[in-house]
Amino acid sequence: MTRVRHNVRAVLRDDGHLVFLRREWPGGTPYCTTVGGGVEPYDAGLEAALRREVMEEIGATIGPAVEFLTLTEPGERTTVVRHYFRADVLDMDPNRRSGPEPDDPDTGDFSAVRVAPEASALAALGLQPPELAAHLHEHLGSWRD
């Protein structure tokens, strides 16, 4: 029987910019993705998990979150369902980051990256996964303030 794991991800807006997460490891190729992670059994729901992940990874609080895309990755043992949300940053302070990631050398370095909501800026990020990048390019007009 295949297990299903839910994952929450956020495309964040902050003062006219989009906020993503830049990930890099020694010897690896840096890339940008969305802030987020796995839904834990103790999370009250998807939005609660999203709020926790945003605080853990970039030290931010967010306003109301609206799901705009769901991607499913079937696997042999585990199927991952990624729920993508759109939300505005209310405040952000990297010093408030928490959780296991900031202190775990195996997770590499990660930091918030702000870009203009323009096709060229998104293309330059090399945003992962490609399905999300394509969706954002297609709907970019609705992401501007």
Side-chain angles (χ1 to χ4, degrees):
M1 184 164 133
T2 302
R3 189 177 81 128
V4 176
R5 175 92 170 126
H6 291 271
N7 191 283
V8 290
R9 313 296 305 176
V11 175
L12 302 169
R13 294 185 313 165
D14 184 29
D15 194 28
H17 290 81
L18 299 178
V19 179
F20 296 100
L21 193 65
R22 179 177 169 84
R23 302 288 313 252
E24 53 187 310
W25 291 264
T29 302
Y31 69 94
C32 287
T33 188
T34 49
V35 175
V39 176
E40 302 299 339
Y42 55 81
D43 288 321
L46 296 177
E47 191 170 336
L50 183 71
R51 291 178 184 287
R52 176 183 51 76
E53 287 288 345
V54 169
M55 180 56 75
E56 286 179 2
E57 292 187 354
I58 63 171
T61 57
I62 58 174
V66 176
E67 189 169 355
F68 67 91
L69 179 66
T70 303
L71 298 175
T72 301
E73 291 181 26
E76 202 171 295
R77 292 186 178 165
T78 304
T79 293
V80 178
V81 180
R82 287 197 172 93
H83 303 271
Y84 288 89
F85 291 84
R86 166 185 183 159
D88 290 327
V89 171
L90 300 178
D91 60 79
M92 182 169 33
D93 179 354
N95 293 320
R96 293 189 310 203
R97 294 188 332 172
S98 62
E101 289 93 351
D103 298 324
D104 184 350
D106 291 337
T107 62
D109 292 327
F110 53 97
S111 58
V113 174
R114 292 167 40 105
V115 298
E118 299 168 358
S120 61
L122 284 176
L125 286 178
L127 188 61
Q128 296 296 320
E131 298 88 349
L132 172 65
H135 180 87
L136 292 179
H137 281 286
E138 185 177 331
H139 297 91
L140 193 55
S142 66
W143 288 83
R144 292 187 177 102
D145 285 334

